[in-house]
Amino acid sequence: MPPKTPTRPFIANDNTPLSKTPGGDSVGWNAMLRERQQQRQSGENPVPTDNGKIGLVLSGLIWAGLAVFFVWSFYSGQSVGTRLFSAFSLIWSGLWTRFLAIDHGRPRLGELCLLSSFVAFIGMLVTAATQLGLPLDLPAGIFTMISAALLVSVINRSKLALMVAIGGGLVWAGLQFDGLLQSGSFGMAIPALWAGMMLQAVRLKTHMGLLTCVVTAYIWLIGSAMGSLQNGGLSGLYLVAGAAVIGTMHYRASKAAEDEGFKGTSLHVTAGWLIANGALLCLANYSFDPAAAVWSGSQDVAQIHKLAWAAIMALALFCMFIAGLIRRKHKRMSLAGVAMTTLLPALIPVFLWYE
């Protein structure tokens, strides 16, 4: 008798993954695209011919028409129902057209469709918030745009959505640097967003995304530091100590990206090394002559600014630890080395906090 094959219980949910140990996204459109691409590589499912692209053309025309309808409904100030309907329709038509575009080897069209779905989501969110009497102000709107774009980039591995998120962050950083915008209640979440954008840029191996993200983060940090220094919230000593930790994190993360085969890391390694060592030289001057005029009032720090500074230091140390684990995976560091390169920079904010 032939061996009995194990039978699976009947499950009504067709989204249940077929594998108990799936690799990545095991369900949804992305999984279907990967399966079709694998079939084409093996010759089981050839690339669609011109006759097979009729569905893409029709879907693209519908998507373009709904995009025009969406712009018209918002620009001409139509009713709330019309705007919500146009946004909802554009979201789903954009996602479906993206699926067909990628399946037919049109990745740029797919990225454009995904971007249109993202813009429609923001429009629907703003409309709903206004109707509920909770209009989004400028900081909340930019923060929502950055978060949504980053989420879309993570789910769909989209470089375009990542650049939209970084662009929103650049607008925020520029306005704050000029003193036209304050972090407010989002001050604690912004560093986490930037860390997420940097990790996503490394994940997608986009040097332009990582470079613009780092530049944007430094613009925001310098603007926040200047504002805190002018308002008396933080002293120069705390800012120099923060620069030492952040520069070290930049250096360690760049070395980890280099181990991952990321291109263009030499610039980041050099920049992180210069920032960290320059700040350490300033700290050495403070340790030799703490009564110098440049360090006057070094401990006059507002408690809320001190807590925000500590949170940023903790996030930088966490990123440093993750970078060490990546280097350990490539056998560049031992576990003891990872611990030492994380704990030694941590002594700077700890000693300063309890001085």
Side-chain angles (χ1 to χ4, degrees):
M1 294 179 62
K4 294 183 178 180
T5 57
T7 58
R8 295 184 56 191
F10 176 77
I11 300 176
N13 184 8
D14 58 355
N15 289 327
T16 302
L18 300 178
S19 173
K20 294 183 179 180
T21 57
D25 182 15
S26 60
V27 297
W29 291 351
N30 288 337
M32 191 183 301
L33 285 173
R34 283 199 300 270
E35 182 180 357
R36 292 169 71 91
Q37 290 172 357
Q38 292 174 357
Q39 290 176 353
R40 285 171 184 168
Q41 291 176 357
S42 62
E44 299 177 7
N45 186 10
V47 178
T49 60
D50 292 338
N51 293 331
K53 296 180 181 179
I54 297 178
L56 174 61
V57 174
L58 293 177
S59 181
L61 291 175
I62 295 174
W63 164 74
L66 289 174
V68 173
F69 176 55
F70 170 79
V71 174
W72 170 80
S73 63
F74 276 80
Y75 180 77
S76 60
Q78 297 300 311
S79 63
V80 175
T82 302
R83 283 179 284 170
L84 291 178
F85 174 76
S86 65
F88 186 79
S89 302
L90 182 57
I91 289 174
W92 285 106
S93 66
L95 292 176
W96 175 247
T97 307
R98 170 191 174 271
F99 169 79
L100 293 178
I102 296 179
D103 187 45
H104 288 75
R106 299 289 188 271
R108 292 186 178 181
L109 177 60
E111 289 285 283
L112 186 61
C113 294
L114 182 63
L115 180 61
S116 69
S117 298
F118 165 72
V119 173
F121 167 76
I122 296 296
M124 188 169 59
L125 183 64
V126 172
T127 301
T130 303
Q131 286 302 115
L132 294 174
L134 299 172
L136 295 174
D137 56 3
L138 182 59
I142 298 178
F143 181 83
T144 303
M145 185 186 74
I146 297 174
S147 303
L150 181 59
L151 181 62
V152 169
S153 176
V154 171
I155 294 175
N156 293 280
R157 300 182 67 89
S158 170
K159 293 183 180 180
L160 181 60
L162 175 62
M163 295 306 297
V164 171
I166 297 174
L170 184 60
V171 171
W172 184 300
L175 292 175
Q176 182 165 318
F177 189 86
D178 291 336
L180 302 176
L181 183 66
Q182 299 297 326
S183 298
S185 58
F186 302 101
M188 303 298 290
I190 290 176
L193 276 180
W194 257 291
M197 287 189 285
M198 290 182 186
L199 291 175
Q200 180 64 5
V202 173
R203 179 191 177 206
L204 298 179
K205 296 184 182 298
T206 164
H207 179 255
M208 180 57 67
L210 182 62
L211 180 61
T212 54
C213 189
V214 170
V215 171
T216 301
Y218 274 118
I219 293 175
W220 177 79
L221 286 170
I222 294 174
S224 300
M226 291 176 57
S228 299
L229 189 62
Q230 293 173 356
N231 299 331
L234 281 179
S235 65
L237 179 60
Y238 276 81
L239 297 182
V240 169
V245 175
I246 291 174
T248 305
M249 182 271 294
H250 189 181
Y251 172 78
R252 303 305 310 172
S254 301
K255 296 295 288 184
E258 186 177 31
D259 294 340
E260 287 284 323
F262 205 90
K263 296 181 180 179
T265 54
S266 58
L267 174 64
H268 296 281
V269 171
T270 304
W273 187 89
L274 291 174
I275 293 171
N277 284 276
L280 287 174
L281 288 175
C282 294
L283 290 178
N285 175 268
Y286 171 76
S287 64
F288 286 124
D289 189 11
V294 69
W295 305 118
S296 60
S298 59
Q299 297 299 329
D300 298 334
V301 178
Q303 188 65 22
I304 184 64
H305 290 270
K306 193 175 180 180
L307 290 174
W309 175 84
I312 295 176
M313 295 298 99
L315 180 61
L317 291 170
F318 175 75
C319 294
M320 207 179 303
F321 176 70
I322 297 299
L325 293 180
I326 293 175
R327 301 213 71 195
R328 182 176 182 269
K329 183 185 71 172
H330 291 277
K331 298 181 180 181
R332 299 285 185 177
M333 296 179 66
S334 63
L335 188 59
V338 174
M340 290 180 63
T341 54
T342 305
L343 293 176
L344 287 178
L347 294 177
I348 297 176
V350 169
F351 285 161
L352 186 58
W353 183 277
Y354 290 105
E355 183 182 4

